[in-house]
Amino acid sequence: MRKPIIAGNWKMNKTAAECRELVTALVPKVKDAKCDVVICVPFTDIALAAELTKGSNIKVGAQNVAWADSGAFTGEISAAMLAEAGAEYVVIGHSERRQYFGETDKTVNARLTQALKYGLKPILCVGEKLEEREGGMTERVCATQVEGAFEGVSAADAEKVVIAYEPVWAIGTGKTATDEQADETIGYIRSVVEKLYGKNTADGMRIQYGGSMNAKNVDGLMAKPQVDGGLIGGASLKADDFAYIVMAAK
Ligand code: 13P
């Protein structure tokens, strides 16, 4: 049995003052959650979010991590900095990073390896673009991204990773994948993990769905056997909406 995990990805939203307001409202609303609850916040909110969630069941995550320990990498944040600030999770390879900031399977692999080295739990994002789905390339794209990300990663380390299947065409568009599409593609991703690491690792790996997941579609998605939770963008920015999704994940 895999424990579901619901993670909010705030993206570039919430100043520290707004973070305080949201987290303060969220803590009591999700205290009886049956799933793991994570909020992936902007770097500048991590220490505050960690302080505000202390003693609660909410874990804090970052949205990226540098691939080097330290040094001349202007604008990057190291794994040690994240861990010290209170992050336990880190989103890696989000499609917005791939699309706007030149992230490749190679850099995703380097960041993933680095996160694991420092004990951060990666949430690895994969997913196809609209033209790739329409061209029947979904499986090949997801397989390439998963294989690339896990290059050189041991089975013991791979087991610490959560994968988020996020079809790019469903992100921020209000166009969710159908329950069947999510279930089918996540099942396929699990088969790729099985080929890399064997059945036990694949069966234990949590694979979330992400892309316009909200209070209306969470029940249908979570009812699917392959869907182990969600990575939530827009709907994670309001305490009531995010709490509803969290409480629906059992
Ligand atoms: P939305 O939920 O806003 O579609 O964003 C999904 C996402 O990209 C989460 O990482």
Side-chain angles (χ1 to χ4, degrees):
M1 273 299 278
R2 297 181 294 266
K3 189 177 186 190
I5 173 166
I6 299 289
N9 174 9
W10 290 5
K11 308 191 180 184
M12 197 176 71
N13 294 290
K14 305 291 176 187
T15 64
E18 292 164 341
C19 167
R20 180 180 294 279
E21 194 180 330
L22 175 52
V23 175
T24 305
L26 195 58
V27 167
K29 288 185 201 291
V30 301
K31 69 176 183 2
D32 298 321
K34 300 283 185 290
C35 62
D36 285 341
V37 186
V38 184
I39 49 173
C40 298
V41 305
F43 294 127
T44 48
D45 290 342
I46 292 173
L48 174 62
E51 183 194 310
L52 294 169
T53 55
K54 206 175 266 170
S56 82
N57 56 336
I58 303 176
K59 309 288 187 211
V60 175
Q63 299 171 16
N64 198 7
V65 61
W67 56 68
D69 288 334
S70 63
F73 297 96
T74 301
E76 290 284 300
I77 308 286
S78 76
M81 293 169 184
L82 295 181
E84 197 177 295
E88 279 184 47
Y89 288 81
V90 58
V91 174
I92 295 175
H94 192 279
S95 65
E96 286 148 19
R97 301 284 330 160
R98 296 178 191 258
Q99 195 177 344
Y100 305 129
F101 302 100
E103 209 75 65
T104 65
D105 290 337
K106 230 179 147 61
T107 60
V108 168
N109 173 248
R111 294 185 197 276
L112 185 97
T113 303
Q114 185 72 0
L116 288 165
K117 180 175 157 190
Y118 281 83
L120 295 168
K121 298 177 187 128
I123 299 177
L124 165 69
C125 302
V126 301
E128 81 287 359
K129 300 191 189 105
L130 182 60
E131 62 269 26
E132 290 165 341
R133 177 160 282 269
E134 287 173 343
M137 306 265 291
T138 298
E139 294 193 345
R140 195 185 313 166
V141 169
C142 291
T144 303
Q145 291 178 350
V146 169
E147 288 160 5
F150 282 104
E151 179 91 47
V153 175
S154 70
D157 269 348
E159 284 167 11
K160 297 167 192 151
V161 177
V162 173
I163 298 180
Y165 166 56
E166 299 209 305
V168 178
W169 47 272
I171 295 176
T173 57
K175 209 169 142 184
T176 322
T178 64
D179 304 342
E180 289 70 29
Q181 283 171 327
D183 194 52
E184 192 183 320
T185 310
I186 290 177
Y188 174 74
I189 291 168
R190 200 177 302 286
S191 77
V192 176
V193 174
E194 182 172 342
K195 253 183 247 153
L196 294 175
Y197 295 109
K199 189 164 161 47
N200 275 354
T201 302
D203 284 348
M205 185 165 286
R206 294 187 292 179
I207 309 182
Q208 305 171 304
Y209 168 78
S212 299
M213 197 162 166
N214 58 38
K216 290 203 181 75
N217 56 35
V218 60
D219 288 327
L221 286 160
M222 287 306 301
K224 288 293 178 192
Q226 293 290 344
V227 180
D228 301 324
L231 185 57
I232 322 296
S236 73
L237 299 175
K238 290 198 185 121
D240 283 336
D241 292 0
F242 188 61
Y244 185 97
I245 297 168
V246 166
M247 298 315 286
K250 300 182 184 93

